[in-house]
Amino acid sequence: MLGMDLPAVAPVATAGGAYRVLARKYRPQKFSELIGQDAMVQTLANAIRRDRLAHAFLMTGVRGVGKTSTARLIAKGLNCIGADGQGGPTIDPCGQCDPCVAIAEGRHIDVIEMDAASHTGVDDVREIIEAVRYAAVSARYKIYIIDEVHMLSKNAFNALLKTLEEPPAHVKFLFATTEVNKVPVTVLSRCQRFDLRRITPDLLFSHFSRICGLEGVEAEDGALWMIARAAEGSVRDGLSILDQAIAHADLDGEGVVAAAQVQDMLGLSDGGATRELFGLLLEGKSGPVIDAVRDQHERGVEPLSIVRGLMALAHGIALTRVARGEDPAETPENREAMGRWAQAMGMARIQRLWQLLLKAHEEVARAGDPLEALEMALLRIVHASTLPDPDELARLLAGQGGVMAGNGSGTAPGMPTAPGGAGAAAMTTPPSRQDNVVPLDQPRAASAVSPVPDMRPDPGNWTLEGLAGELSNSGQLMLGSLLRREGRVVSITPGVLTLSRQSRLTDGDAADFARALTATLQSPWVVELSDADGAPTLAEQAAASNAAAEEELRAHPLVAAVIRTFPDAELIRRGGEERGIARDARS
C-alpha cells in the first residue's frame, strides 16, 4: 500500500556506532515511504511521467509531516540516473547511484540546502542569484532547498522574485515552511504549492508498530495509541516520544513499552479516573469531584491534562451520539462508557458541557494556580449539571412536559412530581383556560393603548388615545408622544379637550395641540388647561396594565417554579409582550 512501506531492514548506524534517533534513522528515502501524503506523491509522479515539472515547489504544513524530507526526495528523483547510469527523472529514485547517495548524505555539490532562519538577508539571496547562472557541475538539475522560507526578509523576497519567475532551465527551487501565511503572495504565485496533511492516528499507529518491529522492541497497542494521539499529526514528534518511551521501558528492565509507563511519562490522566470524574460531574456530586481531582493531582497529573481528558470524553460522547462509529484509538472501557452516556444525554446537554469544559481549559491554562482554577471550574459544571436544559424548560413552560436534566424527572428542582414516580413527566396537560391565568402559549391581552380605528368616530366619541393616534398618524409624532406622556384628561367634549395643569404641559403646548388637532381633524378644536385633577396619562395606564400582566404571569405555577429554580431570572419582553419565558442572564 502506498505510503506505508518501510525499509526491509533497519538502516545502518552512523560512523563510529553513534546512536541515531528514530526520527533520523527512519527518515523516508523514497516516496513510497512517505505516509499520509498520497495525493502529493501522485501529483509529482504524474508531473515527472509527463515531463511537466514546475521550476519551483512550495511544501507547507505543520512540523514533522515531511516537508524537508519531501524536498530531498524531489531532488533525488530529479537527479537520479539509475543503477545502470542511464535513468532519467523518476518518482522512485534507486538510492544506489552517485547522485542518490550524495544527496541522501547531504554532500551533493548541486543540491544546496539553506536555512532561511539564519540566512535572512539580501546578501544571502544575492549569492543564489549569482550562482544560478552557472550550470550544474555533475547533476541534471541544480536544486536549491530553502527551509523555513517565511523567515526571509521582505527585501530578500523582492530580490528573489525575478529569478524565481524565470530561472534557468537547469535550476529548481524547493521551499519549505510551517507558516505559509507569512510568505508574500508574489512568491506563492510563482510556486507549485503542496499542503502536506497531518498524519492520522491510525497511520501513525501502524508506522510506529512497524518501527518497533524493526527495532526489536515489544510495545503494547495502548501505548502506541497514546503516542499516536500525543504526536498531534507529526511523525517526528511521535518518533521522538517513541524513542523516549523505549528508553523508559529499558530502564524498567522488561524492555516492553507499556501503556501505563507511557501515561506516566507523558503526564496523561488515567482513563479510569477520568471516566469516574466525568460521571461525578454528571451526577452533581461536588465533594467527590474535588476529592477525585486532588487524588489525580497528587499522582502527578497536571490540571490541564485532567481538563483535556474530560474534553476528550465529551467529544467522544458527541460523536457517538451522531453515530460516527467507534474510534479504534479508544479503549473498550471508554467506548462502552461513551455509548452509555450518549444514550442518556441529549445533544443540548452535551454541548453545554463541552462549552463549560472549554471555558475551564482556558481558565486553567492562564491561572496562577491551575489546581484552584480547575476546582472552581468543575464546581461550576457541577452546579450547571443540576439545571434543566433550555429546550426541556421551554417544553415545560409550553405545557408539553419533558424530562429535565439534573433530577431525571419532568419537573424542575423544587417542583412536585406527578403521580407515578420521579421519572414520570410532570404537568403534561396545559393549564385550564378557565383559570384566571394568562395562558403561556398565547400573547397577553392588548395594552391600554389600543390601535387607532380605521374610521374616525363621531365628534362626540373622541378619546385621548384616539386623538393622540390621529396626531401620530398625521406626522405630528412629537405632539402625539407628548399627549400620551403628559396628557391628564379632565374632560373631552365635541371640539374641546380639557387637560389638567398637574402635568408638565404649558399654555404653549395647549395651543400647539389645538392647532394640530384642528388641522388634522379638519374641524375647530380648543385645548384648555384646568386646575382640576385629571385621569392618569396613557403612559401610566400602559405601565399599570403591563405590571398587572406581569404579576399575573408570575403567579402562574410553572413560572413561579422557574423563578425558584433560577433566582436571578427575569421576564423578558418580546415584541412588546411578555411571553412567559424566564431566562437567567448569567447561566
Side-chain angles (χ1 to χ4, degrees):
M1 176 181 175
L2 183 62
M4 293 304 300
D5 297 332
L6 287 174
V9 295
V12 295
T14 56
Y19 177 71
R20 297 173 66 192
V21 295
L22 297 179
R24 292 185 58 198
K25 188 175 182 179
Y26 292 98
R27 171 168 278 172
Q29 299 301 316
K30 52 186 179 180
F31 281 103
S32 60
E33 294 173 12
L34 278 174
I35 63 173
Q37 312 299 344
D38 295 354
M40 180 195 67
V41 173
Q42 186 64 47
T43 302
L44 288 173
N46 293 341
I48 292 174
R49 188 179 303 114
R50 299 169 184 172
D51 194 21
R52 298 179 62 89
L53 285 167
H55 61 270
F57 297 90
L58 174 67
M59 272 69 67
T60 179
V62 299
R63 80 254 176 234
V65 294
K67 298 183 296 296
T68 306
S69 296
T70 300
R72 292 176 181 173
L73 289 176
I74 293 175
K76 289 172 65 175
L78 295 182
N79 286 324
C80 178
I81 60 176
D84 57 359
Q86 304 299 318
T90 176
I91 195 66
D92 294 313
C94 65
Q96 301 176 11
C97 63
D98 290 341
C100 285
V101 174
I103 293 173
E105 295 176 357
R107 57 178 177 83
H108 199 291
I109 192 173
D110 293 319
V111 177
I112 301 96
E113 290 195 36
M114 187 182 87
D115 178 18
S118 56
H119 300 80
T120 62
V122 176
D123 291 338
D124 300 301
V125 173
R126 186 178 294 118
E127 294 180 8
I128 297 176
I129 297 173
E130 293 293 331
V132 297
R133 296 183 298 173
Y134 303 102
V137 176
S138 61
R140 186 178 296 112
Y141 293 101
K142 178 179 284 189
I143 295 177
Y144 289 90
I145 299 176
I146 304 181
D147 202 6
E148 299 301 333
V149 69
H150 67 274
M151 299 294 288
L152 289 178
S153 66
K154 180 178 180 181
N155 290 336
F157 273 124
N158 291 335
L160 186 61
L161 286 180
K162 186 61 178 177
T163 302
L164 184 61
E165 184 173 12
E166 298 178 358
H170 61 271
V171 174
K172 301 290 184 184
F173 289 98
L174 304 177
F175 300 146
T177 179
T178 54
E179 300 184 49
V180 69
N181 59 300
K182 294 184 179 180
V183 179
V185 67
T186 51
V187 173
L188 294 177
S189 65
R190 290 165 167 83
C191 299
Q192 191 171 100
R193 173 175 167 177
F194 292 105
D195 291 272
L196 277 66
R197 303 171 58 184
R198 289 179 182 268
I199 313 304
T200 58
D202 55 335
L203 284 178
L204 288 175
F205 173 82
S206 301
H207 188 59
F208 298 157
S209 298
R210 290 170 181 250
I211 289 179
C212 286
L214 294 173
E215 290 290 310
V217 174
E218 183 180 352
E220 296 179 0
D221 287 351
L224 295 182
W225 277 118
M226 287 183 187
I227 296 173
R229 288 195 297 268
E232 297 181 346
S234 170
V235 181
R236 184 174 60 238
D237 286 9
L239 289 177
S240 297
I241 297 173
L242 180 59
D243 232 338
Q244 183 181 355
I246 293 173
H248 187 74
D250 287 339
L251 291 176
D252 191 44
E254 298 180 0
V256 177
V257 180
Q261 293 174 329
V262 173
Q263 177 180 296
D264 292 339
M265 183 185 75
L266 297 177
L268 301 176
S269 57
D270 176 66
T274 302
R275 290 193 301 273
E276 179 184 358
L277 177 59
F278 195 87
L280 293 173
L281 286 175
L282 296 182
E283 294 171 8
K285 298 180 178 179
S286 55
V289 163
I290 299 300
D291 293 338
V293 168
R294 292 183 177 179
D295 179 65
Q296 289 199 54
H297 189 261
E298 290 173 0
R299 288 191 280 114
V301 183
E302 292 297 324
L304 201 59
S305 180
I306 296 176
V307 179
R308 287 172 179 165
L310 295 172
M311 293 177 68
L313 272 180
H315 179 253
I317 293 170
L319 294 184
T320 303
R321 177 80 180 180
V322 297
R324 289 292 298 172
E326 294 183 349
D327 184 356
E330 293 291 352
T331 63
E333 295 80 9
N334 269 5
R335 289 197 292 268
E336 189 274 332
M338 289 189 296
R340 184 176 66 253
W341 282 322
Q343 292 180 355
M345 299 170 63
M347 186 55 72
R349 191 180 183 194
I350 296 173
Q351 288 294 336
R352 179 175 62 180
L353 184 60
W354 171 261
Q355 292 297 327
L356 290 169
L357 288 172
L358 197 62
K359 181 66 174 176
H361 184 278
E362 176 185 344
E363 293 175 353
V364 173
R366 69 185 183 189
D369 190 329
L371 179 60
E372 290 182 356
L374 175 60
E375 290 177 349
M376 295 302 294
L378 294 185
L379 287 177
R380 181 171 64 235
I381 296 175
V382 167
H383 172 71
S385 68
T386 63
L387 300 179
D389 287 334
D391 56 343
E392 301 294 342
L393 183 60
R395 282 198 291 271
L396 276 179
L397 293 178
Q400 298 174 6
V403 178
M404 303 185 71
N407 58 9
S409 69
T411 62
M415 291 178 63
T417 58
M427 293 191 173
T428 57
T429 305
S432 172
R433 301 301 169 89
Q434 303 298 326
D435 299 339
N436 295 323
V437 178
V438 178
L440 295 179
D441 56 349
Q442 297 291 335
R444 69 174 179 82
S447 66
V449 185
S450 60
V452 179
D454 294 336
M455 299 182 61
R456 292 174 179 173
D458 295 334
N461 295 331
W462 279 110
T463 62
L464 184 63
E465 59 262 33
L467 295 176
E470 288 291 337
L471 291 177
S472 298
N473 292 338
S474 65
Q476 305 287 335
L477 298 178
M478 295 189 65
L479 286 178
S481 176
L482 180 63
L483 190 58
R484 287 190 173 90
R485 293 196 319 271
E486 304 295 342
R488 299 180 182 276
V489 176
V490 175
S491 64
I492 300 180
T493 58
V496 179
L497 171 62
T498 304
L499 301 175
S500 174
R501 290 185 181 274
Q502 294 178 353
S503 61
R504 289 179 291 181
L505 296 178
T506 64
D507 291 335
D509 295 329
D512 290 339
F513 287 143
R515 283 193 297 270
L517 290 174
T518 299
T520 300
L521 302 180
Q522 298 180 357
S523 62
W525 273 85
V526 177
V527 179
E528 303 174 338
L529 297 182
S530 169
D531 293 331
D533 296 337
T537 66
L538 294 178
E540 291 172 344
Q541 294 177 35
S545 175
N546 289 337
E550 182 174 331
E551 288 301 319
E552 186 179 22
L553 193 60
R554 287 179 179 272
H556 192 283
L558 287 178
V559 177
V562 170
I563 294 177
R564 287 196 303 271
T565 305
F566 301 94
D568 297 328
E570 60 183 11
L571 291 175
I572 293 180
R573 183 185 304 276
R574 183 180 302 168
E577 299 177 350
E578 290 84 2
R579 295 295 188 185
I581 300 295
R583 298 181 60 188
D584 188 347
R586 286 178 282 275
S587 64

